[in-house]
Amino acid sequence: MKIRTFIATASLVASGTLVAFSGSAQAALYTTCVGDGGAVTVTNDLVVPAGKSCTLTGTKVKGTVTVEAGADLVAAGATFNGAVTVEENAYLDLTDTTVKGALTTESAFGAHLEKSNLKAVDATGGFVYVVDSTLGGNVRTGAGELYVSGSTLNGSLTGDGNQYSDVYDSTVKGALTVDGNTLGGVFCASEVYGAAKYASNADNLQLGGEGLLGSCAGASYFGGNLAVTDNTAKAVLDNAIVRGGLTATGNDPVLVVGDLARVRGAVTGDIAPAAASSSRSAKEAAPEDRGAGLAEKAAARAAEARAEAHGAGRSSL
């Protein structure tokens, strides 16, 4: 019986479709994807093996999805019923896709989520680029790049120790925390209904308005208290309504508050009025919207992944 079991397992591994492994008394099964996958239903877990590429179009996965180290998964019109894990230097690209479990990335190259629906996101390292999507749970990113545009987040949003955390034309229904970002952050034409906190950030912070990182055409809304504290960043608050109070303590330089900012609650700490000439010069010297560079990075990796998957042929899902 042991010999027969070994032969059956070896056959499954060789097929590249189902793999059996035993870490306990009961074996578990998963499906591997290398190449192009179509509109089929995978009834168990799905794995993209390390260093390989997989594309999915209209695919439904009932189990979990794992993108192993250095691998790529590009999916369109897919549905994942379980959690998704993206490992070191791996890449995830989702368009028009639903993820019913949590998304976790671990030192990944990045995750590009466009026109998709997800729950919680927990990312450490790499970028998280969210466009025109809905995220139902809390979103936390650390030690990477965070860019959110045209999206709705039903939970909290945290950018902890990132390079930057930028939010454009989006709604955050929970709390917003941007802490220890080396290149600061942008909050533009967006709304946050929980408390908002920007702390210990460097470089530049633009909270609405014509600020240090360029133009922001729409007004912003902070539905609760706003705390801007202990930053070494050049920070500007303008063209925004703060429904609660504003705390601005420990900032060097002090927070600059423009003429179009309205704070309904009490102001605690030190603030300074905007100077028109310095605001203009800062804008002229500012870099372009960071989303453009991030989009190019994502597009290049996705194109490589599609080419490699196509070269591998049809995946046996």
Side-chain angles (χ1 to χ4, degrees):
M1 285 298 293
K2 289 184 179 179
I3 294 175
R4 291 178 182 176
T5 301
F6 174 79
I7 293 173
T9 302
S11 177
L12 290 171
V13 171
S15 73
T17 303
L18 291 175
V19 178
F21 63 94
S22 57
S24 61
Q26 184 175 5
L29 295 175
Y30 63 81
T31 300
T32 63
C33 179
V34 177
D36 296 322
V40 299
T41 297
V42 177
T43 58
N44 46 20
D45 297 342
L46 178 74
V47 174
V48 184
K52 302 298 183 180
S53 294
C54 166
T55 68
L56 299 175
T57 304
T59 309
K60 183 175 182 179
V61 180
K62 291 188 175 182
T64 63
V65 175
T66 301
V67 187
E68 294 186 338
D72 302 298
L73 174 58
V74 179
T79 300
F80 302 148
N81 285 350
V84 177
T85 300
V86 186
E87 297 181 353
E88 184 177 2
N89 196 36
Y91 176 62
L92 177 70
D93 192 299
L94 304 180
T95 304
D96 293 318
T97 291
T98 297
V99 179
K100 297 181 180 180
L103 167 62
T104 303
T105 75
E106 304 166 351
S107 300
F109 177 81
H112 173 211
L113 316 173
E114 186 164 355
K115 297 178 181 176
S116 294
N117 292 278
L118 293 91
K119 287 191 175 180
V121 176
D122 189 352
T124 302
F127 67 81
V128 175
Y129 181 31
V130 183
V131 184
D132 298 335
S133 294
T134 299
L135 288 82
N138 296 332
V139 177
R140 189 207 69 85
T141 67
E145 302 160 273
L146 172 63
Y147 190 96
V148 180
S149 176
S151 297
T152 298
L153 288 74
N154 291 326
S156 63
L157 175 63
T158 301
D160 185 8
N162 287 330
Q163 293 183 47
Y164 58 83
S165 299
D166 292 351
V167 180
Y168 285 83
D169 190 27
S170 295
T171 298
V172 181
K173 295 184 179 180
L176 170 66
T177 303
V178 177
D179 191 349
N181 285 228
T182 56
L183 298 178
V186 176
F187 191 82
C188 170
S190 297
E191 304 170 5
V192 54
Y193 288 93
K197 175 184 177 183
Y198 286 81
S200 303
N201 299 290
D203 200 55
N204 293 310
L205 287 175
Q206 180 183 333
L207 310 182
E210 300 278 347
L212 299 166
L213 296 177
S215 176
C216 179
S220 293
Y221 178 75
F222 295 89
N225 295 324
L226 170 62
V228 184
T229 60
D230 300 319
N231 298 287
T232 58
K234 298 175 182 177
V236 173
L237 171 67
D238 202 6
N239 198 16
I241 295 174
V242 180
R243 186 70 179 84
L246 170 64
T247 300
T249 57
N251 299 304
D252 185 12
V254 300
L255 173 66
V256 172
V257 178
D259 294 337
L260 297 179
R262 299 289 182 269
V263 180
R264 304 303 187 198
V267 177
T268 303
D270 299 320
I271 62 174
S277 59
S278 63
S279 179
R280 281 197 301 269
S281 63
K283 180 186 171 186
E284 290 169 0
E288 294 182 0
D289 181 350
R290 289 182 281 224
L294 205 54
E296 291 178 4
K297 184 191 295 189
R301 180 75 178 242
E304 292 176 1
R306 290 188 184 97
E308 290 178 7
H310 184 68
R314 206 63 191 163
S315 180
S316 301
L317 295 180

